[in-house]
Amino acid sequence: QVQLVESGGGSVEAGGSLRLSCAGSGINFGTACTAWFRQSPGNKREGVAAYYPIGNHPYVIDSLRDRFTISADNVRNTLTLQMGSLQPDDTATYYCAASDCPTGWVLLAEPNFGNWGQGTQVTVSS
């Protein structure tokens, strides 16, 4: 049974930083595609960043690339999202996701990830 547990959310002022962590069990992060998504009230869940096992390749969506960094520790089976220069628009519930990834890549889209954490809340005040 796959379990993903996020931690590190909280409340910060605009301009601050947060580091989210996801601890996985029942799935090997060394061969899985893993990702962070976020969802704010009234909006669809959107992909933020992904980590692909082949070549240990990180990917962050264009609009966040200068502020967010994704990394993975395949030994500890953890996934991290370092977020900087946070803005109120970053307020959302952030979810860790993972998927078996036989080709080493999947499109960063919700239907492509079958395993999800419970989410961690990030609130950024102005």
Side-chain angles (χ1 to χ4, degrees):
Q1 181 180 359
V2 176
Q3 285 193 321
L4 303 172
V5 180
E6 302 98 336
S7 61
S11 297
V12 295
E13 294 184 351
S17 300
L18 280 175
R19 183 182 178 93
L20 305 184
S21 293
C22 171
S25 60
I27 188 167
N28 182 357
F29 278 21
T31 56
C33 289
T34 52
W36 288 97
F37 287 74
R38 68 183 183 183
Q39 187 170 21
S40 54
N43 293 314
K44 294 190 303 183
R45 193 170 295 187
E46 67 167 342
V48 170
Y51 200 90
Y52 298 109
I54 292 181
N56 291 317
H57 182 68
Y59 168 77
V60 180
I61 62 173
D62 288 349
S63 60
L64 298 176
R65 194 164 295 161
D66 60 341
R67 300 190 292 117
F68 288 15
T69 303
I70 188 171
S71 60
D73 184 328
N74 295 337
V75 175
R76 292 182 171 85
N77 238 34
T78 56
L79 185 71
T80 298
L81 184 69
Q82 180 68 47
M83 306 184 294
S85 300
L86 285 163
Q87 301 300 316
D89 284 349
D90 296 316
T91 295
T93 302
Y94 284 72
Y95 297 91
C96 176
S99 173
D100 291 327
C101 199
T103 65
W105 182 86
V106 292
L107 184 67
L108 181 56
E110 186 176 2
N112 295 332
F113 289 83
N115 302 287
W116 295 85
Q118 81 288 352
T120 186
Q121 179 66 36
V122 171
T123 302
V124 185
S125 59
S126 57

